[in-house]
Amino acid sequence: MSHNNINQLFEMLTPKNSQKEKMLHHILANRQDEGKQARILPPSKRFKVILLVAVVTICLTTTAWAAAYMGLDDMFRNYLKPNSEQTQALSNGAYVVDKQIKNKNGTLEIKQVIGDHHLTYILMDFIAPEGTLLDAARYRFADYDLTTDQSYQSVEFEVVDDSHPSDNKISLVMSIFTKNSIAGQKVHFKVEDLQASDPYPGHFKTVIGGDWETELQLGFTEYSMLYEVNKKISMFGHEAILQSISISPISISLKIESSSMDVIHQAAGPLKEIGLNQNLDDYPITIKYQDGTSETTSLLNGIHLSESHRYLFTVKRFEHVINDKEISSIVFFDTEIAIR
């Protein structure tokens, strides 16, 4: 475990002021009781009390550790649909935030963060005032502010099915695409005006105004494994170099360089809409697994970012989490890259 993770753990285990006051109250009360009973408490009883305190302390510490790093929230499981092995892998890097931001228009609960080198997920619940019905097909915030150290970031909001569609609460996942990892950063977080929409192509309209603002620690441990490739490939008949591939359970990222990148983009053409909120992926990849199965990003579910007319950076998500430890190779255009 890194020093950063250890510091984060101690930070989480440090009681808040209100907790300290309660603890002090209980200690003083217990001491008064002990003063009354000290003369009649035999040594064997005192040893049992000390042993019980030690056991309780270990349990509390273990519980805090599990809550901070070892548990994946149910809503994340509903969203990503991992199997038991993938759930454990995701749990190892998950970070519990557990912050509430309240105003007269509703409460925003920021629950948990997971992420890799290029994609970060923030899980949150929004609770509207009693009597407000939140049952639209889609929700998002009209504006956001997330002050990371990245010059570029793309943000999306998705509703997670919580099995209670007709109440005043929704669960949202905020997806943040960045060029580099934002793990460990302390950021200023602000969202404004909750909007709702019918299914695509319905238009978003503000249903609850206001803003929710806090400081947020992105204490997750990223999952990515970087593979340096530096291999010549052909894209639409033009030479390029696949520099690297980054793989995690939640995304796969590629960095490509070509002096013909503008021509490559022209050959790819504009996004091709084939359904409700569905576009073809102009730069698809195929994952091949050790058991002989495969999956392809036929639909665009991520980002493409061009730089200096020479570089292409793309992050790709799949329908669910990826069996990243079982990948044998990745196919990009006509080139197959073996994954060790």
Side-chain angles (χ1 to χ4, degrees), residues 125-325:
D125 288 344
F126 184 84
I127 303 100
E130 289 292 336
T132 304
L133 187 62
L134 299 179
D135 61 349
R138 298 185 295 162
Y139 284 94
R140 71 179 186 187
F141 288 99
D143 199 8
Y144 72 91
D145 181 25
L146 192 71
T147 55
T148 70
D149 64 357
Q150 298 295 293
S151 59
Y152 171 85
Q153 58 190 25
S154 176
V155 171
E156 299 175 2
F157 292 94
E158 290 185 77
V159 179
V160 186
D161 181 17
D162 63 358
S163 302
H164 300 285
S166 299
D167 60 10
N168 64 327
K169 177 182 175 181
I170 55 172
S171 294
L172 295 167
V173 170
M174 182 180 185
S175 304
I176 307 153
F177 295 93
T178 53
K179 281 195 62 180
N180 297 291
S181 175
I182 56 175
Q185 294 188 28
K186 188 173 184 179
V187 301
H188 177 256
F189 173 92
K190 181 180 180 180
V191 291
E192 297 181 31
D193 298 338
L194 183 70
Q195 296 187 324
S197 171
D198 293 330
Y200 184 88
H203 298 290
F204 281 97
K205 296 180 180 179
T206 298
V207 291
I208 297 179
D211 59 72
W212 293 264
E213 186 173 6
T214 188
E215 297 296 314
L216 189 61
Q217 184 74 41
L218 303 178
F220 66 94
T221 301
E222 63 171 81
Y223 305 114
S224 298
M225 180 67 71
L226 180 65
Y227 297 88
E228 297 290 347
V229 180
N230 294 316
K231 186 171 184 177
K232 288 184 179 181
I233 61 174
S234 177
M235 300 175 66
F236 303 108
H238 301 280
E239 186 176 289
I241 296 176
L242 177 57
Q243 294 183 328
S244 64
I245 300 174
S246 180
I247 301 175
S248 87
I250 60 174
S251 79
I252 292 182
S253 306
L254 292 84
K255 291 183 179 179
I256 303 107
E257 179 185 5
S258 176
S259 58
S260 305
M261 192 57 69
D262 287 342
V263 181
I264 290 172
H265 287 318
Q266 289 175 6
L271 288 177
K272 303 171 184 66
E273 187 175 9
I274 63 170
L276 297 181
N277 204 24
Q278 292 183 332
N279 298 288
L280 288 178
D281 187 355
D282 294 328
Y283 307 100
I285 65 169
T286 296
I287 299 174
K288 290 186 177 181
Y289 293 105
Q290 295 173 8
D291 63 2
T293 60
S294 65
E295 54 183 325
T296 301
T297 59
S298 56
L299 298 178
L300 177 61
N301 189 13
I303 61 166
H304 300 322
L305 179 63
S306 297
E307 280 190 336
S308 305
H309 304 281
R310 189 177 183 89
Y311 299 94
L312 172 64
F313 171 69
T314 178
V315 182
K316 300 175 182 299
R317 293 185 292 182
F318 291 77
E319 185 177 359
H320 305 309
V321 289
I322 304 164
N323 291 317
D324 58 312
K325 300 297 187 294

